[in-house]
Amino acid sequence: MAQEAAIGVRDPEAHKNTDRLAILDTISLPFELSDDKKLSREDILNKKEGFFVTGLPRFEFDPIRGFGIGGNVFFFQNKTKEDPFFYYTPYRYSINTEFFVFENGRVRAAVNLDVPYIFNSKWRLRADAVVWEDPNAQYWGIGRESLNNLSFQDKSAGAEGGIRQFNRVNDYEENLKIAVPGNGGRLQTDTHYNQFIQRELLFNALGERVEMGGKLRLMFGYEALFTAFEDYTGQIAEEAFLADGTEVEAVQRQTLVNQQINDGTWDRFNLSGFSDGFKFTSMLAAALIYDTRDLEPDPSKGVFLQYSHEYSAPWLGSDFNFNKFMVQGQFIHTFHRWKNDRNRLTFAGLAAFGHIFGPNINFIEMWDLSSQAEAGGILVLGGGRSLRGYREARFMAPTVGLVNLEMRARLHDFNAFNQHFALGVTPFYDFGTVWEGLSDVQLNNFRGAPGLGGRIAWNQSTILRLDYAQSREGGQFFFGFGHIF
């Protein structure tokens, strides 16, 4: 009984697994791993053995795309407690499959493979395949001026209305939808002023080798990206209304992306790639990572430092020529544990800085920071994985700074249907800014937004996330899988 009390056993299932701590003292690894990489005691006791599947259907509402339906299915292999890596990694391999379709026609399908310590070696293999089509991809302008308040012609006053500033993005978008007479008397609108159609195919493979007892990770790989885009200028808009609310048919006036391509803005930033035919971005990627986190999907302690670099050039077969780098730091610290370590209060912070440069840049590459630790990088600056209170790509420029601060409280856990669940809440604050180049970096004009989230940890390796954030331009809900970092 003394042994049970010492390790916090609380039910028959935990009692059955108490020998895991004894096995931990006798296991022999094929190479040295630091104690910092060892899972916490409660994670070792709650970890599921063998192969298992998690996932569920997802129902979402997006203010841009309407209702959506889809789902994720995760396949995990943990092996048994006799496997030495059982105590050092969240899984031996995982496969994540995703499919989602929204009311507006947005479609995303993806398969992600992750195999840490493949063949019991120091190597890790990651591979991703993503198909993406979005009829309402967001474009709010490029450069420091994207930080300005929302403004547009006040069309509620008619075709001659003056420029008006909008405090809320919903009010701004309702104004865009108002139709006004154009040349020849035909009604015109600006429904898609900040939108374009995006089609994308992404394939990548990354190899990673660990050193320094698993703390240092050397990563390199290759990415093939095929992108095509379509402009709404001159098309019949999906929605248009008269000022009194009457629905009408109207032609889309010049969009912002069309305007900035033609007025020289894109030339100033060396941007190209907006074509209805697929353009090919062939990239080499590399990263140097220092990582002492104890459990990647849901860490309770450790630091994560990363420098990553992507390079695209014609000699690789690419239609573009640019370099892109990112520096990122994360700090995770648990302030307090209670109920035999089952509950905890953990601070998690991220700071990231990215820059893209070159004579011929695929403009869509400005949409994310080039993290090699996850597929797709960190989407900026706005949306569900960066500034959660602002619309996707709300602030964008060649140089980007982002900070996320979270207080992750795990408040209750339980077993059901042979599965382990832990429930928690996460208040957070996100802020960041953009600059037109490295020489323009200055610590002012940041945009930030607080929020509150709920978390469900499912068998440790799957994190369900529900977030609400409120910015000065309005509030947004997000539901997804995994912490944002």
Side-chain angles (χ1 to χ4, degrees):
M1 296 298 293
Q3 182 185 13
E4 291 183 5
I7 61 176
V9 176
R10 57 191 181 278
D11 56 41
E13 180 66 21
H15 179 68
K16 182 179 69 175
N17 293 331
T18 55
D19 62 334
R20 292 179 178 180
L21 298 180
I23 293 175
L24 179 58
D25 294 330
T26 63
I27 62 171
S28 176
L29 290 163
F31 49 86
E32 182 183 0
L33 286 177
S34 168
D35 285 343
D36 290 335
K37 302 300 295 180
K38 191 182 301 179
L39 302 185
S40 66
R41 182 177 63 179
E42 67 271 20
D43 287 333
I44 290 173
L45 291 178
N46 291 321
K47 189 172 182 180
K48 192 175 181 66
E49 293 186 64
F51 177 81
F52 63 95
V53 179
T54 64
L56 75 168
R58 288 166 53 186
F59 303 91
E60 296 187 9
F61 177 79
D62 186 298
I64 302 167
R65 303 169 181 95
F67 288 97
I69 185 170
N72 290 72
V73 179
F74 299 89
F75 302 88
F76 294 102
Q77 174 58 262
N78 282 350
K79 293 194 175 181
T80 69
K81 61 181 179 293
E82 283 74 27
D83 177 65
F85 293 103
F86 184 88
Y87 304 91
Y88 288 88
T89 185
Y91 42 78
R92 291 309 309 267
Y93 73 76
S94 74
I95 301 173
N96 170 24
T97 62
E98 174 185 343
F99 179 79
F100 220 91
V101 59
F102 276 87
E103 185 180 357
N104 76 325
R106 181 189 192 186
V107 177
R108 174 184 167 91
V111 179
N112 311 107
L113 170 70
D114 185 12
V115 190
Y117 305 118
I118 188 170
F119 305 127
N120 288 347
S121 73
K122 292 185 177 183
W123 289 93
R124 180 177 192 166
L125 173 66
R126 289 178 50 236
D128 309 288
V130 182
V131 178
W132 173 283
E133 180 168 341
D134 188 356
N136 300 113
Q138 301 289 286
Y139 182 84
W140 301 85
I142 289 178
R144 189 77 166 168
E145 64 182 22
S146 68
L147 295 167
N148 296 340
N149 294 336
L150 296 169
S151 63
F152 203 80
Q153 173 196 0
D154 184 1
K155 296 196 290 182
S156 64
E160 304 301 324
I163 299 299
R164 171 188 166 192
Q165 286 198 349
F166 295 84
N167 293 325
R168 298 288 180 174
V169 68
N170 288 339
D171 296 336
Y172 168 83
E173 291 180 328
E174 288 303 311
N175 179 74
L176 293 180
K177 295 176 184 177
I178 295 176
V180 296
N183 295 332
R186 188 171 188 183
L187 291 176
Q188 297 182 330
T189 187
D190 299 282
T191 301
H192 298 290
Y193 180 72
N194 296 108
Q195 299 174 353
F196 59 89
I197 300 170
Q198 176 185 0
R199 300 180 180 93
E200 181 174 307
L201 302 172
L202 168 68
F203 306 94
N204 67 29
L206 294 168
E208 173 187 309
R209 182 177 173 86
V210 298
E211 298 291 348
M212 293 177 57
K215 296 181 182 179
L216 185 67
R217 297 156 57 185
L218 307 173
M219 183 182 294
F220 61 90
Y222 175 77
E223 179 177 307
L225 176 65
F226 302 87
T227 51
F229 308 95
E230 188 176 340
D231 182 30
Y232 279 106
T233 300
Q235 297 188 24
I236 300 297
E238 293 179 8
E239 293 181 277
F241 303 89
L242 297 178
D244 63 6
T246 303
E247 186 172 359
V248 295
E249 182 181 279
V251 174
Q252 172 68 40
R253 296 199 291 189
Q254 187 180 36
T255 62
L256 181 58
V257 67
N258 186 288
Q259 174 187 321
Q260 293 199 335
I261 288 173
N262 289 290
D263 69 9
T265 300
W266 279 33
D267 292 336
R268 182 161 62 91
F269 291 107
N270 298 330
L271 302 181
S272 66
F274 197 100
S275 169
D276 57 3
F278 278 95
K279 296 290 186 178
F280 179 41
T281 308
S282 178
M283 286 187 289
L284 297 177
L288 180 64
I289 297 172
Y290 181 77
D291 184 5
T292 66
R293 296 172 300 170
D294 54 350
L295 180 68
E296 289 181 26
D298 190 18
S300 66
K301 63 179 181 179
V303 299
F304 178 88
L305 305 175
Q306 176 186 12
Y307 174 84
S308 63
H309 201 107
E310 294 179 351
Y311 168 68
S312 180
W315 71 267
L316 293 169
S318 180
D319 293 323
F320 305 95
N321 189 355
F322 62 87
N323 282 270
K324 181 178 179 182
F325 72 82
M326 185 202 68
V327 179
Q328 175 190 175
Q330 298 178 21
F331 176 72
I332 315 292
H333 178 72
T334 295
F335 288 101
H336 182 58
R337 298 177 186 266
W338 66 100
K339 288 189 177 180
N340 293 322
D341 290 342
R342 292 158 58 188
N343 297 349
R344 69 190 189 212
L345 182 65
T346 302
F347 169 79
L350 173 147
F353 178 88
H355 178 63
I356 187 169
F357 60 97
N360 184 16
I361 300 170
N362 185 352
F363 81 100
I364 202 66
E365 285 296 319
M366 299 183 69
W367 262 248
D368 69 88
L369 296 172
S370 60
S371 173
Q372 300 305 314
E374 60 177 305
I378 302 172
L379 297 181
V380 292
L381 195 56
R385 300 188 72 87
S386 58
L387 297 189
R388 283 164 276 190
Y390 289 93
R391 288 290 173 84
E392 295 175 10
R394 176 63 182 89
F395 313 113
M396 189 166 56
T399 309
V400 178
L402 169 67
V403 175
N404 301 115
L405 305 174
E406 297 190 344
M407 190 64 72
R408 301 170 181 172
R410 179 183 291 182
L411 303 177
H412 180 65
D413 73 326
F414 61 95
N415 291 304
F417 307 106
N418 199 31
Q419 309 288 306
H420 182 260
F421 299 91
L423 310 180
V425 296
T426 300
F428 59 84
Y429 188 76
D430 309 321
F431 64 96
T433 192
V434 297
W435 305 275
E436 299 196 358
L438 295 176
S439 61
D440 300 317
V441 172
Q442 49 189 305
L443 299 180
N444 62 8
N445 215 13
F446 283 84
R447 296 290 177 264
L452 180 66
R455 300 289 184 269
I456 301 175
W458 182 359
N459 287 338
Q460 301 170 306
S461 300
T462 303
I463 306 297
L464 281 68
R465 169 175 50 88
L466 176 64
D467 289 335
Y468 175 78
Q470 179 73 43
S471 74
R472 68 181 190 179
E473 294 183 355
Q476 297 190 127
F477 281 103
F478 298 96
F479 174 74
F481 285 89
H483 293 295
I484 71 167
F485 65 93

